[in-house]
Amino acid sequence: MLFDFGEIEPKERYKLLVSTITPRPIAWVVSQNSQGVLNAAPFSFFNAFSGDPPVIGIGMGSHSPGRPKDSRVNIQETGQFVVNLVSEECAQLMNVTAIEFDYGVNELEQAALTTVQSTHVKPPRIAESPVAFECELIQIVELGTSSGLLLGRVLAMHIRDDAVIDPGKHYVDTPKLKLIARMHGANWYAKTSDLFKMDRIPVDDWKRDHDRP
Ligand SMILES: Cc1cc2nc3c(=O)[nH]c(=O)nc-3n(C[C@H](O)[C@H](O)[C@H](O)COP(=O)(O)O)c2cc1C
């Protein structure tokens, strides 16, 4: 079935995109305004876009026309933020921080989360989260009148000790992190425990097996 995005409403386009581009990892963002008031919120328009430089991107919308998400306001003000990843154990706590509180409400307190001081940026990370990235803002790409893509450079990252197999080789036990991801509809999530392995095919193997030069 064809859905022509020129002929349907923004809400319907959104519905179609988020019902199909799944699973999406969740950036659990901690930011701080210039007065030091903390803020936390989840964003699943999120991914990594480059290893060198190490760049992540987050799509942030608005609560209502002219009222951008508090996370964006803070990051625009200070240029710093921490992206925490969400494990199965953190799911309910993450959900509390997604409540549409007024600006200035510290969602970390509301969810009784523990913070740990960062090493390179002012906003702290979330102790309950198994992975955290300390980031500085590179730029905000404006998307229409109510959304923006925030690009951040990762300055340092933290991984829960028991999930690091070999620090020297930078081997991580990813399944042990039990990260969750956003699925379709408003409230569906995925666990990352249903895995399969598929090796890449070297081009020479492909040519040999298919008798091509
Ligand atoms: C799992 C999950 C993913 C979300 N992803 C996004 C997103 O990618 N972009 C967005 O603007 N809002 C997203 N939201 C909604 C925000 O978390 C919510 O509006 C929150 O109140 C924003 O907080 P803030 O104003 O303190 O930044 C998501 C909510 C949940 C529960």
Side-chain angles (χ1 to χ4, degrees):
M1 190 170 294
L2 171 70
F3 295 95
D4 185 335
F5 275 29
E7 288 176 6
I8 60 176
E9 295 299 314
K11 261 191 178 166
E12 297 162 341
R13 292 179 215 144
Y14 171 82
K15 237 176 172 172
L16 290 168
L17 290 174
V18 299
S19 308
T20 51
I21 302 178
T22 58
R24 300 186 303 284
I26 301 167
W28 200 8
V29 176
V30 175
S31 61
Q32 195 171 13
N33 69 14
S34 47
Q35 273 80 53
V37 179
L38 291 173
N39 190 91
F43 295 90
S44 66
F45 281 178
F46 161 63
N47 223 306
F49 293 99
S50 163
D52 185 19
V55 174
I56 56 102
I58 307 169
M60 291 190 187
S62 298
H63 287 289
S64 53
R67 197 201 149 202
K69 300 282 164 103
D70 304 345
S71 303
R72 173 176 171 168
V73 173
N74 289 350
I75 294 167
Q76 217 162 349
E77 204 171 291
T78 65
Q80 298 187 334
F81 58 103
V82 174
V83 170
N84 303 269
L85 300 182
V86 183
S87 62
E88 287 176 32
E89 295 81 16
C90 295
Q92 312 284 337
L93 298 169
M94 176 277 293
N95 206 26
V96 173
T97 66
I99 295 171
E100 313 267 341
F101 292 114
D102 288 338
Y103 182 72
V105 172
N106 179 349
E107 292 88 354
L108 295 160
E109 276 175 9
Q110 298 290 326
L113 284 156
T114 318
T115 56
V116 186
Q117 203 178 340
S118 294
T119 56
H120 291 62
V121 295
K122 279 191 182 160
R125 64 190 163 95
I126 296 173
E128 288 82 354
S129 163
V131 181
F133 304 94
E134 298 187 21
C135 302
E136 71 181 9
L137 181 67
I138 300 173
Q139 82 177 98
I140 300 179
V141 180
E142 296 295 343
L143 304 171
T145 52
S146 60
S147 294
L149 170 62
L150 283 79
L151 295 174
R153 173 190 278 266
V154 179
L155 304 176
M157 73 177 288
H158 305 261
I159 306 177
R160 205 179 58 215
D161 287 352
D162 69 290
V164 179
I165 297 167
D166 184 335
K169 290 185 176 153
H170 304 92
Y171 285 167
V172 178
D173 187 346
T174 305
K176 199 169 190 178
L177 297 170
K178 292 192 167 184
L179 299 175
I180 59 164
R182 184 88 186 258
M183 286 294 295
H184 52 287
N187 300 312
W188 287 97
Y189 292 85
K191 295 180 180 179
T192 48
S193 44
D194 188 5
L195 307 177
F196 72 99
K197 193 165 184 282
M198 181 168 59
D199 293 330
R200 290 282 296 270
I201 307 166
V203 67
D204 288 342
D205 290 4
W206 180 262
K207 287 179 184 166
R208 185 197 59 228
D209 295 346
H210 293 79
D211 201 22
R212 288 180 194 150

